[in-house]
Amino acid sequence: MQQWTRRTRPLLESIMRRYERCAMRRYVKRVDAFLLPPPDDGVRRTIRKLRLQTRSGSGRWSECIQRWVTAAIGRWGAEDLELDVEEHRVDYDFRVLDECQSMRLKRLVLINCKPIGIFDCLMLRWLTKLELCKASYYGGASRILSNCVSLVDFSIRHCRSSQPILQFSVPDSGFKKLLVDNCEFVEIYLDSLPWLETFACRGVQPTEVYYGEVPRLRHVSLDYFKTKVEPSAVSNTTYRLSKFVMSMPSIESLVLQFKGPEVGKSYVPEMKNISVVMGSCL
């Protein structure tokens, strides 16, 4: 059986790649027909929400996505756009949108899509919700918020950035909700966010959070869940619960959750799950 598998695997893989290329060509053709019809065919439509999902991030896909996103936002007036690339990252240059006469994009979700020009694209100043996942975030959180002046909700999810520190210093920003979900940041600095009301951080390991000028912060949620751990990888680090509220300003509600096999050793003896909910935390 093993010999037969070794002999047939190259043949099966080549057949699967051929079918995949055929399917992707049909996919591109259909999307082109929908988003890129000839200008004289009389098609009049409005796209309010569009979600594009692809499996590869090759050069061909980057070209396709570039024209699809530009057409959806600039030509059809999409207000809600999600772009999900499952495998390799693709790039999209948002600066081409500055040539559009009108744009109504309010919500943008990017998964494995590097947003080139997001720091200075004028058209992104109308965004109210931005979510960057995986390779979509590559640093510069304060610069993003400085450009997206209408942003209210900002999320960073599953980021593996080489920068261990996430810092926010945007005194002119009016965004109110911040979520950091399953990222590898060691420290988070909320230096100057005058309108921030809700902050949530979820991950595997506890993250150091430093609070600066956040006068309107009212709701904080810190949720850490460590899944299965090998015996050799058990951490000897001990965390005191006071560590998570020491520098916290006056707030209305605080949620602390610690779950996983290491909780009993690292937090409180003989407890595997801790969930602390505090109201009127002053």
Side-chain angles (χ1 to χ4, degrees):
M1 182 64 183
Q2 294 178 353
Q3 294 179 358
W4 181 84
T5 302
R6 285 196 301 267
R7 293 177 181 177
T8 59
R9 181 176 299 170
L11 178 61
L12 293 176
E13 290 179 351
S14 63
I15 294 174
M16 292 300 297
R17 285 194 296 268
R18 179 162 58 87
Y19 276 104
E20 181 178 337
R21 289 194 298 268
C22 181
M24 290 301 102
R25 283 196 297 268
R26 294 180 178 179
Y27 175 75
V28 171
K29 183 178 179 180
R30 295 299 183 184
V31 177
D32 282 346
F34 179 74
L35 292 177
L36 305 173
D40 56 349
D41 65 351
V43 176
R44 295 293 181 268
R45 65 166 65 98
T46 299
I47 300 176
R48 304 196 65 176
K49 181 176 181 179
L50 178 65
R51 186 174 192 271
L52 292 174
Q53 183 175 6
T54 67
R55 292 192 62 248
S56 176
S58 62
R60 174 176 172 80
W61 276 114
S62 295
E63 296 176 3
C64 294
I65 289 175
Q66 186 79 24
R67 62 175 186 262
W68 290 344
V69 174
T70 304
I73 297 176
R75 184 174 179 181
W76 306 116
E79 300 179 4
D80 189 328
L81 177 65
E82 296 185 22
L83 180 58
D84 184 355
V85 182
E86 294 185 359
E87 294 182 1
H88 306 289
R89 189 197 72 191
V90 300
D91 298 340
Y92 179 78
D93 191 349
F94 279 88
R95 289 171 293 190
V96 301
L97 297 176
D98 289 339
E99 301 176 1
C100 301
Q101 297 298 324
S102 62
M103 191 180 78
R104 297 189 294 269
L105 186 64
K106 299 299 183 183
R107 177 177 179 266
L108 178 62
V109 179
L110 299 177
I111 303 175
N112 268 344
C113 177
K114 183 178 179 180
I116 300 174
I118 195 173
F119 301 133
D120 50 10
C121 175
L122 298 177
M123 301 305 293
L124 292 182
R125 295 187 174 185
W126 302 107
L127 276 181
T128 58
K129 184 173 183 179
L130 175 62
E131 184 175 325
L132 302 177
C133 306
K134 298 183 180 179
S136 297
Y137 178 77
Y138 57 100
S142 294
R143 291 181 61 192
I144 294 174
L145 294 173
S146 297
N147 184 44
C148 304
V149 294
S150 300
L151 205 62
V152 177
D153 191 334
F154 183 40
S155 302
I156 304 176
R157 297 176 179 269
H158 304 281
C159 172
R160 299 296 180 264
S161 175
S162 59
Q163 302 176 3
I165 298 177
L166 181 62
Q167 190 168 9
F168 296 90
S169 181
V170 197
D172 297 331
S173 176
F175 92 107
K176 300 180 179 180
K177 183 178 180 180
L178 173 63
L179 170 63
V180 181
D181 184 10
N182 283 288
C183 299
E184 294 184 349
F185 299 113
V186 178
E187 299 176 351
I188 299 178
Y189 290 84
L190 306 179
D191 291 335
S192 181
L193 296 171
W195 293 92
L196 182 66
E197 297 178 357
T198 302
F199 170 64
C201 181
R202 296 196 293 258
V204 175
Q205 292 286 0
T207 303
E208 296 275 0
V209 181
Y210 298 92
Y211 303 90
E213 298 180 7
V214 284
R216 289 178 171 81
L217 184 62
R218 293 295 178 264
H219 309 284
V220 176
S221 176
L222 305 176
D223 186 355
Y224 304 112
F225 175 50
K226 188 147 190 175
T227 55
K228 183 179 179 181
V229 180
E230 298 297 331
S232 59
V234 175
S235 173
N236 293 322
T237 305
T238 301
Y239 301 95
R240 295 181 178 274
L241 293 181
S242 59
K243 162 190 177 68
F244 301 94
V245 297
M246 186 174 300
S247 61
M248 189 174 296
S250 299
I251 59 177
E252 294 179 0
S253 64
L254 168 64
V255 177
L256 294 177
Q257 295 192 77
F258 308 97
K259 302 176 183 179
E262 287 193 25
V263 170
K265 181 175 181 179
S266 300
Y267 299 96
V268 177
E270 299 180 357
M271 292 185 67
K272 294 301 181 183
N273 294 280
I274 305 176
S275 180
V276 181
V277 180
M278 298 181 181
S280 300
C281 184
L282 301 178

Coordinates of all heavy atoms in Angstrom, one line a residue, residues 14 34 89-90 105 115 137 164 223 227 233 235:
S14 N -0.9 16.0 -9.6 CA -0.9 16.8 -10.9 C -2.3 16.9 -11.4 O -2.7 17.9 -12.0 CB 0.0 16.1 -11.9 OG -0.5 14.8 -12.2
F34 N -19.3 39.7 -13.7 CA -20.2 40.3 -12.7 C -19.7 41.7 -12.4 O -20.5 42.7 -12.4 CB -20.4 39.5 -11.5 CG -21.2 40.1 -10.4 CD1 -22.6 40.2 -10.6 CD2 -20.7 40.7 -9.3 CE1 -23.4 40.7 -9.6 CE2 -21.5 41.3 -8.3 CZ -22.9 41.3 -8.5
R89 N -0.4 35.6 1.0 CA -0.9 37.0 1.1 C -0.9 37.6 -0.3 O -0.1 37.4 -1.2 CB 0.1 37.8 2.0 CG -0.4 39.2 2.3 CD 0.7 40.0 2.8 NE 1.7 40.4 1.8 CZ 2.9 40.9 1.9 NH1 3.3 41.1 3.2 NH2 3.7 41.2 0.9
V90 N -1.9 38.5 -0.5 CA -1.9 39.4 -1.7 C -1.8 40.8 -1.3 O -2.0 41.2 -0.1 CB -3.2 39.2 -2.5 CG1 -3.4 37.7 -2.9 CG2 -4.4 39.6 -1.7
L105 N -17.6 53.5 0.9 CA -17.1 52.3 1.8 C -17.1 52.7 3.2 O -16.5 53.7 3.6 CB -15.7 51.9 1.3 CG -15.1 50.7 2.0 CD1 -16.0 49.5 1.6 CD2 -13.7 50.5 1.6
P115 N -2.7 46.0 2.9 CA -3.3 47.2 2.3 C -2.2 48.3 2.1 O -1.9 49.1 2.9 CB -4.3 47.6 3.4 CG -3.7 47.1 4.7 CD -2.9 45.9 4.3
Y137 N -2.2 43.1 8.8 CA -1.6 44.2 9.6 C -0.1 44.0 9.7 O 0.4 42.9 10.0 CB -2.2 44.1 11.1 CG -1.6 45.1 12.0 CD1 -2.0 46.4 11.9 CD2 -0.6 44.7 12.9 CE1 -1.4 47.4 12.8 CE2 0.0 45.7 13.7 CZ -0.4 47.0 13.7 OH 0.2 47.9 14.5
P164 N 6.8 43.3 18.6 CA 6.2 42.8 19.8 C 5.3 43.8 20.6 O 4.6 43.5 21.5 CB 7.4 42.3 20.6 CG 8.5 43.2 20.2 CD 8.3 43.6 18.8
D223 N -9.3 38.4 28.1 CA -9.7 37.0 28.0 C -8.5 36.2 27.5 O -8.1 36.4 26.3 CB -10.9 36.9 27.1 CG -11.4 35.4 27.1 OD1 -10.8 34.6 27.7 OD2 -12.5 35.2 26.4
T227 N -4.7 26.7 25.3 CA -5.2 25.3 24.9 C -4.2 24.3 25.4 O -3.3 24.5 26.2 CB -5.4 25.2 23.4 OG1 -4.2 25.6 22.7 CG2 -6.5 26.2 22.9
A233 N 6.5 22.1 28.0 CA 6.4 23.5 27.6 C 5.6 24.3 28.7 O 5.2 25.5 28.5 CB 5.6 23.7 26.3
S235 N 4.8 26.7 31.5 CA 5.4 27.9 32.0 C 5.6 27.9 33.5 O 4.7 27.5 34.2 CB 4.7 29.1 31.5 OG 5.2 30.3 32.0

